[in-house]
Amino acid sequence: MKRFSFTGFSSDAAAAVPPRAAMQNHHPKEHLYKILVIGDLGVGKTSIIKRYVHQNFSPNYRATIGVDFALKVLSLEQETVRLQLWDIAGQERFGNMTRVYYREAMGAFIVFDVTRPSTFEAVTKWKEDLDAKLTLSNGKHVSTVLLANKCDQGQDVLTNNGLKMEQFCQENGFVGWFETSAKENINIEEAAQCLVKHIVASENDAVHLEASDTVSPQLESNRSGSCSSCFRY
Ligand code: GTP
Ligand code: MG
């Protein structure tokens, strides 16, 4: 049974999975955050990570087996943030292994495919699974951003009512949502910025985020999205 697959991200894989001790911050201005990317089969999790980390896209579908890893390094003001992205196979759905994969994560993306309503219906199940198996040391749930992927397909009936999506996010404990396209590179950077911002805020405990703080950002593209506490992208 293959549980850990490094295919696709081989160059980053070794760096992306340091031993437990290396998960600690060596320097006060360096942060390492484990980020989960979950959602149903074929919604585009691997493609989103490939776009974000390697700036490329492939139309061919090769199902992830177990979990893949990728590393993205961000320079934020005087801080270096390393995002260890855990690309969990959609077929791992709600199994015992997800508990192991979720351990010590600081944030998550839950992805659905706007062309397949069943993948949206699964979002609440993924979120419940995540919240049931993972809590931060302060007792809170990890920051989670919802990604409505494949928006380039022009079938955004699910997301064309932004207010409903915001309400859905508030009711289900998402810190934000974005229409994304791994193919056309839409809103992926923005969604990652939103997630990192929330992780940093929750880690510093400097900002107390309430669901009622949700504010729609002025997106430069005509694609929708909302990140609570983010005023502008
Ligand atoms: P599993 O590993 O099986 O869980 O699937 P996944 O969620 O990682 O999906 P993957 O990234 O492999 O993408 C599945 C298919 O959707 C592939 O054929 C991709 O090329 C395609 N795809 C992914 N993102 C997009 C997108 O934004 N737009 C379009 N049009 N196709 C996409
Ligand atoms: Mg995959």
Side-chain angles (χ1 to χ4, degrees):
M1 186 164 38
K2 190 178 176 195
R3 286 298 181 189
F4 289 85
S5 156
F6 292 90
T7 51
F9 301 113
S10 52
S11 60
D12 290 326
V17 193
R20 173 77 180 82
M23 297 284 286
Q24 313 304 324
N25 294 332
H26 292 296
H27 188 278
K29 294 190 174 174
E30 292 226 347
H31 302 273
L32 175 67
Y33 298 136
K34 173 177 170 181
I35 310 284
L36 305 169
V37 185
I38 55 180
D40 270 6
L41 273 174
V43 294
K45 301 177 294 295
T46 301
S47 303
I48 287 168
I49 293 172
K50 270 191 180 163
R51 170 61 74 190
Y52 185 50
V53 175
H54 301 290
Q55 291 83 42
N56 60 30
F57 173 79
S58 162
N60 304 321
Y61 176 37
R62 213 175 80 196
T64 304
I65 309 293
V67 61
D68 267 334
F69 306 95
L71 184 72
K72 175 85 174 180
V73 182
L74 304 174
S75 295
L76 300 179
E77 295 169 0
Q78 291 163 10
E79 304 193 334
T80 300
V81 173
R82 293 174 204 280
L83 302 181
Q84 186 188 91
L85 297 153
W86 284 53
D87 176 14
I88 296 172
Q91 65 187 27
E92 286 294 331
R93 189 173 174 151
F94 320 134
N96 285 332
M97 284 308 288
T98 52
R99 187 182 293 277
V100 177
Y101 295 153
Y102 292 172
R103 194 174 292 154
E104 295 180 0
M106 292 291 287
F109 290 113
I110 297 183
V111 186
F112 72 96
D113 176 345
V114 293
T115 70
R116 286 190 292 145
S118 65
T119 66
F120 178 68
E121 284 152 24
V123 162
T124 46
K125 295 186 182 119
W126 280 105
K127 184 71 167 66
E128 282 163 14
D129 187 59
L130 183 65
D131 289 347
K133 291 174 181 168
L134 181 66
T135 31
L136 297 171
S137 51
N138 62 10
K140 293 184 177 171
H141 296 311
V142 294
S143 300
T144 307
V145 169
L146 178 62
L147 302 183
N149 194 41
K150 307 194 189 182
C151 69
D152 58 277
Q153 299 274 64
Q155 293 185 35
D156 45 9
V157 281
L158 283 168
T159 56
N160 63 5
N161 188 333
L163 280 178
K164 273 205 170 149
M165 284 300 287
E166 280 181 34
Q167 193 183 341
F168 177 85
C169 284
Q170 289 183 11
E171 286 171 1
N172 291 280
F174 289 93
V175 298
W177 75 280
F178 291 84
E179 273 185 297
T180 58
S181 168
K183 184 178 180 198
E184 305 290 343
N185 195 15
I186 296 169
N187 270 348
I188 290 170
E189 287 279 344
E190 288 82 351
Q193 281 179 32
C194 171
L195 184 60
V196 170
K197 195 169 186 169
H198 279 267
I199 292 171
V200 170
S202 68
E203 201 186 38
N204 294 341
D205 220 15
V207 181
H208 301 287
L209 297 162
E210 300 290 344
S212 58
D213 288 344
T214 300
V215 174
S216 294
Q218 307 297 307
L219 292 168
E220 280 172 19
S221 75
N222 61 356
R223 292 297 177 178
S224 302
S226 163
C227 180
S228 60
S229 86
C230 300
F231 290 92
R232 202 178 71 79
Y233 274 114

